[in-house]
Amino acid sequence: MQADTRDAQERLSLWYDQAAGPWVEALPVGNGRLGAMSFGRVAQERVQLNEDTLFAGGPYDPNNPRSLEALPRVRALIDQGKYAEAAELIDASMMGMPKTQMPYGAAGDLLLDFDGLSGAGDYRRWLDLDSAVCGTRFTNGKVQYRREVFASQPDQVIAIRLTSTGGAMNFDVGYRHPGEVGYGATDYTGGKTAAAAAPVPWGHREPLRAELRPEGLSLRSDGADALLIEGRNIGAAGVAAALRYAVRVKALGDGRIAVRGDRIEVRGASTVTLLVAAATSHVSFADVGGDPVSLVRKHSEAAAAKPYARLRGAHVQAHQALFRRLSLRIGSGEADARPTNQRIAVAEKQADPALAALYVQYGRYLLLSSSRPGSQPANLQGLWNEGTNPPWGSKYTININTQMNYWPAESANLGECVEPLLRMVEDLAVTGAVTARKGYGARGWVAHHNTDLWRATAPIDGPLWGMWPCGGAWLCQALWDHYDYHRDEAWLRRIYPLLKGASLFFVDALVEDPQGRGLVTSPSISPENQHHHGVATCAGPAMDRQIIRDLFGWTLQAHALLKDSDAAFAAEVQARRARLPADRIGAQGQLQEWLEDWDAGAPEQQHRHVSHLYGVYPSGQINVRDTPDLIAAAKVTLNTRGDKSTGWATAWRLALWARMGEGERAYGILQGLLGPERTYPNMFDAHPPFQIDGNFGGAAGILEMLVQSWGGEIRLLAALPKAWPDGALHGVRVRGGVELDLDWSQGRLRQLRLRGQAHQRLKIRYGERLSEITLDAQGRARLTG
């Protein structure tokens, strides 16, 4: 029996006994650039499409020409404690133009309308994470049907394979633009609603309404067996539409295939393969002169020249080369016999260790599917979005969400997935240099709390959210971490100019605190929290100081490792780093979020952001070994904030308690994250609505419970809960370019294997015991407990 049909027995599969109703029950496939959501419906299959550059608008300059003139007045008002007046001036003179950015849009739907299918027996649909193939099977009368969907990275197409045994298939393939039936905004709201959705009737069909198609959308034959769709993106917030896009569907099979009008007709077939290619005219943030029609023809025709088995095999091989690097078993390893949605529905009440392991592997699958070398980085929804106006634009929110997307990349052994983020930061260093100069009169580059396909870097939305200058600096952490986990000098040389430019900005932009407390950012906020009702504007919040301290530290390390001759620059960075105010403990024993002790009076005591705990996780400045008093203060803060929040914020709390070695607290938070309020039936994270950062943050937090890597040490089972007495984690990476396998039983470490550089020296901490070991001449070591 093939692996992808052993649904109940396969622990690396999501599976269901009914078709998807709402979008958050459909199953995702992706190759980094192209994505699809498969619904597994019988009478009318819906395959919803995405292409990662299909954003609204076009190249634009959002920088406010009044910003630099207003800056001294804003800083003076902040120094005088007139924060509301400073915010008003920021809103009038420093926010981006427009005050929003461009949303990410869907590429439409394929609707496959089948003749004569009104019921189904022996129904099953699944997503096999190991092969990255989504499948559906059922019977109708004496006919057996099977469908597969995957997104091929080697061949750059989405492949849809349909087979019938015991009878022929007759169906039409149509295309629906997102605007045709009101999919301008997603309509799902919460995990409980989606989990309780009724099964889709077997005869359910959604309409194609050509009269609602936008002007300029073209559907026509492109040869005897292919349908070509051409259209344009939308404009937004006064930024004109500048992208052209194309989708090409090519049908291959043993029946009669013909394009008639705006549909492909398939008659009398037992095997059909649909090859879907999509592209836009996007070349770079400044160039929209590409030829999408040429690209989709090239990709679909090249794929069509290969037998399906070869196409599928190449896809699986490319996926498994990365996915199979890490394995995780928690508990017995036996698969749960219930459908995935049923397991999620009771996850808060019933122990299901294997579900946590599946969640990690699903997070790895999603990262591989939405961020591959050459693609755009994973956005707020990774790659998958069904509308043209998704929640928060489905863009890149860089005050936590984009960063969280990449938290598991290194430890989960998917370092290649960071490459798209590196290229985005290289772009931001270009556009952000303009914002640094026009907005602050500073050298280097800066990016605020959001960006988009066009790499906008000005502050947006309003002073309560957007007047935060550390988004670009925080993105640099993922770039440094990739070096720290791999020790690749070529990578370090590539990122050093980015680190140096980000540091130069703060060398110029930091100002003296009027009370003599050191150098601070001004204006800024502590994302996205108010210190007084309606006001977030401030100077020198804790998160800024922590991020800049890290940024300066990474820059100085890179400067030394690469033997940069610019000694004056290094001295300047070192001097400014020494003058950043230290973290503070407030009157309630909490870690202060601001320089002033405002925490107790802040309006939202359970605010979703825990920005000032960046120093605990993902940084390591505040830790249980070196700063126990600050760790105690961080716990006071977390107890005040509460364990449950939005999906991504719950995941951050999980990671924080894990980093602090509190396994039982972390486990309790994890159960809430896995439950129906924070996880949709398809395992997408429920903010709500869907944001993918919770999936990635949750995966990182689970790995953090088992293996930690900070402060020059590798920490094993540092936050292992009692509910996980047995398990094995193989292929996890730690800092220093080391990979390890560990097995535990009855709550104790039984075996550890390490792989790194020859004669590499490592510090290993297990419980209270710290050991120093040296790898052998082959870079190996094995220890047993």
Side-chain angles (χ1 to χ4, degrees):
M1 189 177 291
Q2 295 182 6
D4 56 358
T5 65
R6 295 191 323 228
D7 304 298
Q9 291 75 38
E10 175 53 73
R11 65 186 179 91
L12 286 178
S13 285
L14 286 67
W15 75 275
Y16 307 83
D17 58 10
Q18 64 189 44
W23 188 81
V24 290
E25 293 181 356
L27 295 171
V29 297
N31 67 5
R33 189 180 69 84
L34 299 177
M37 297 288 285
S38 173
F39 285 69
R41 294 175 181 172
V42 172
Q44 183 195 62
E45 172 63 301
R46 177 186 175 194
V47 180
Q48 184 263 309
L49 306 174
N50 288 106
E51 200 277 352
D52 70 351
T53 62
L54 190 48
F55 277 69
Y60 68 105
D61 179 0
N63 294 290
N64 193 321
R66 301 188 297 265
S67 183
L68 187 58
E69 179 183 357
L71 181 63
R73 288 182 290 153
V74 167
R75 285 173 169 168
L77 288 169
I78 291 172
D79 287 350
Q80 296 164 29
K82 298 179 179 180
Y83 304 107
E85 292 179 41
E88 290 177 4
L89 182 55
I90 289 168
D91 198 39
S93 302
M94 297 186 74
M95 301 310 298
M97 303 172 67
K99 203 183 284 188
T100 188
Q101 290 175 354
M102 301 299 104
Y104 175 57
D109 295 323
L110 293 185
L111 296 180
L112 281 58
D113 282 294
F114 291 84
D115 182 44
L117 290 182
S118 58
D122 191 28
Y123 181 91
R124 188 67 59 90
R125 68 183 174 103
W126 65 90
L127 173 61
D128 180 359
L129 304 182
D130 185 54
S131 65
V133 175
C134 176
T136 306
R137 72 166 186 251
F138 58 90
T139 61
N140 183 263
K142 296 182 179 180
V143 184
Q144 297 179 343
Y145 293 89
R146 182 183 174 91
R147 302 170 187 168
E148 290 187 336
V149 182
F150 62 85
S152 170
Q153 196 277 332
D155 289 286
Q156 289 298 305
V157 293
I158 294 166
I160 306 169
R161 177 77 158 184
L162 308 105
T163 61
S164 63
T165 303
M169 295 180 290
N170 299 310
F171 64 94
D172 293 346
V173 182
Y175 173 82
R176 180 175 64 186
H177 185 274
E180 288 186 43
V181 287
Y183 286 110
T186 48
D187 57 2
Y188 47 88
T189 55
K192 286 184 175 178
T193 301
V200 175
W202 300 124
H204 177 82
R205 297 179 189 272
E206 295 186 9
L208 281 169
R209 296 180 61 186
E211 70 273 13
L212 296 179
R213 288 177 185 165
E215 185 177 348
L217 184 69
S218 166
L219 282 71
R220 59 184 174 85
S221 65
D222 195 46
D225 56 3
L227 180 67
L228 179 66
I229 300 99
E230 293 184 77
R232 300 194 69 87
N233 70 336
I234 62 172
V239 178
L243 283 176
R244 294 174 293 115
Y245 77 88
V247 177
R248 189 172 191 259
V249 186
K250 185 176 179 69
L252 307 168
D254 58 5
R256 299 185 303 278
I257 297 173
V259 180
R260 303 196 187 281
D262 60 0
R263 296 189 176 204
I264 299 175
E265 293 183 357
V266 179
R267 301 292 182 266
S270 62
T271 302
V272 176
T273 302
L274 303 177
L275 299 174
V276 186
T280 78
S281 58
H282 175 270
V283 178
S284 74
F285 67 88
D287 184 352
V288 294
D291 184 353
V293 173
S294 176
L295 281 173
V296 297
R297 284 175 176 156
K298 172 186 172 184
H299 290 148
S300 57
E301 290 299 324
K306 301 177 181 180
Y308 178 75
R310 180 179 166 194
L311 198 69
R312 189 185 193 278
H315 154 72
V316 172
Q317 183 178 21
H319 172 74
Q320 290 179 346
L322 301 178
F323 185 77
R324 285 188 169 181
R325 288 175 178 169
L326 181 141
S327 65
L328 173 59
R329 173 180 60 80
I330 304 176
S332 67
E334 294 181 7
D336 194 296
R338 295 169 295 174
T340 303
N341 57 313
Q342 294 181 20
R343 296 171 69 184
I344 292 168
V346 297
E348 282 194 82
K349 302 173 183 177
Q350 295 182 11
D352 189 352
L355 185 62
L358 183 65
Y359 196 87
V360 170
Q361 294 289 25
Y362 188 55
R364 296 180 71 243
Y365 168 85
L366 293 175
L367 187 57
L368 264 176
S369 300
S370 62
S371 186
R372 294 288 285 268
S375 77
Q376 295 298 309
N379 62 41
L380 267 178
Q381 293 180 297
L383 176 62
W384 304 276
N385 156 48
E386 72 170 338
T388 56
N389 184 29
W392 302 284
S394 194
K395 50 189 184 293
Y396 302 100
T397 302
I398 57 174
N399 67 6
I400 173 61
N401 311 98
T402 302
Q403 288 86 348
M404 185 179 282
N405 285 357
Y406 290 90
W407 282 359
E410 303 302 342
S411 59
N413 214 334
L414 295 175
E416 291 87 345
C417 293
V418 179
E419 189 269 350
L421 190 69
L422 168 59
R423 286 186 291 102
M424 184 171 81
V425 175
E426 289 175 330
D427 290 347
L428 293 174
V430 176
T431 57
V434 179
T435 300
R437 184 178 70 253
K438 290 185 176 181
Y440 297 88
R443 297 172 295 170
W445 67 276
V446 63
H448 292 79
H449 95 295
N450 259 285
T451 191
D452 56 16
L453 182 72
W454 313 109
R455 305 314 190 227
T457 52
I460 64 161
D461 293 340
L464 189 63
W465 306 275
M467 196 64 248
W468 186 65
C470 292
W474 191 0
L475 287 175
C476 288
Q477 181 182 44
L479 309 187
W480 175 259
D481 280 353
H482 185 80
Y483 167 73
D484 206 13
Y485 277 80
H486 296 270
R487 302 296 170 93
D488 178 357
E489 184 176 321
W491 179 276
L492 185 63
R493 290 191 180 279
R494 185 170 172 182
I495 70 171
Y496 180 56
L498 306 174
L499 300 175
K500 188 172 184 178
S503 291
L504 271 174
F505 170 78
F506 290 106
V507 164
D508 289 356
L510 290 172
V511 297
E512 292 283 350
D513 171 63
Q515 297 184 40
R517 292 173 291 189
L519 296 174
V520 296
T521 48
S522 182
S524 190
I525 63 171
S526 184
E528 300 169 6
N529 202 6
Q530 306 168 45
H531 51 77
H532 292 82
H533 284 285
V535 182
T537 302
C538 65
M543 186 186 220
D544 288 18
R545 302 181 332 250
Q546 293 166 1
I547 289 174
I548 296 167
R549 187 175 294 114
D550 269 349
L551 172 67
F552 283 171
W554 304 325
T555 304
L556 290 168
Q557 289 182 67
H559 179 277
L561 289 165
L562 297 175
K563 298 180 172 57
D564 184 358
S565 61
D566 191 350
F569 164 73
E572 204 169 19
V573 171
Q574 184 65 59
R576 279 163 172 73
R577 188 174 192 268
R579 298 197 59 219
L580 294 169
D583 287 299
R584 295 169 165 239
I585 299 175
Q588 286 74 40
Q590 89 287 3
L591 191 68
Q592 282 186 205
E593 188 162 358
W594 297 274
L595 264 175
E596 311 296 339
D597 192 359
W598 288 329
D599 298 67
E604 294 186 62
Q605 290 297 301
Q606 293 187 312
H607 197 270
R608 61 195 177 279
H609 285 258
V610 283
S611 302
H612 53 310
L613 302 189
Y614 163 91
V616 179
Y617 185 98
S619 181
Q621 296 175 34
I622 299 171
N623 61 71
V624 294
R625 183 190 65 192
D626 304 321
T627 59
D629 291 345
L630 293 178
I631 284 290
K635 290 179 180 179
V636 171
T637 293
L638 279 176
N639 284 326
T640 300
R641 291 288 165 96
D643 290 350
K644 281 193 173 183
S645 188
T646 59
W648 64 264
T650 302
W652 197 354
R653 286 156 171 77
L654 161 67
L656 285 161
W657 285 109
R659 175 61 64 88
M660 295 188 293
E662 299 285 353
E664 300 309 318
R665 188 68 172 269
Y667 176 72
I669 295 170
L670 175 61
Q671 283 188 292
L673 183 66
L674 295 176
E677 290 188 8
R678 290 294 172 264
T679 294
Y680 288 114
N682 67 356
M683 290 191 78
F684 273 170
D685 171 72
H687 180 285
F690 165 52
Q691 280 190 195
I692 206 166
D693 36 37
N695 288 102
F696 296 136
I702 294 167
L703 292 176
E704 190 75 15
M705 294 168 75
L706 302 175
V707 176
Q708 299 182 9
S709 174
W710 53 265
E713 296 178 4
I714 301 167
R715 293 187 165 228
L716 306 176
L717 305 180
L720 182 70
K722 294 177 182 178
W724 297 349
D726 306 300
L729 174 60
H730 293 181
V732 68
R733 290 193 70 88
V734 293
R735 296 178 189 275
V738 175
E739 186 175 300
L740 62 86
D741 306 334
L742 73 156
D743 297 74
W744 71 96
S745 64
Q746 297 180 338
R748 296 191 58 79
L749 180 66
R750 298 305 180 192
Q751 183 169 254
L752 173 67
R753 292 184 296 273
L754 299 128
R755 297 174 291 280
Q757 298 298 313
H759 309 300
Q760 187 175 0
R761 300 182 66 183
L762 303 172
K763 292 182 179 180
I764 309 290
R765 186 180 293 274
Y766 175 56
E768 298 300 320
R769 180 181 176 185
L770 180 64
S771 304
E772 293 193 28
I773 67 168
T774 302
L775 303 185
D776 64 20
Q778 286 73 46
R780 301 288 189 268
R782 179 176 178 178
L783 304 172
T784 56

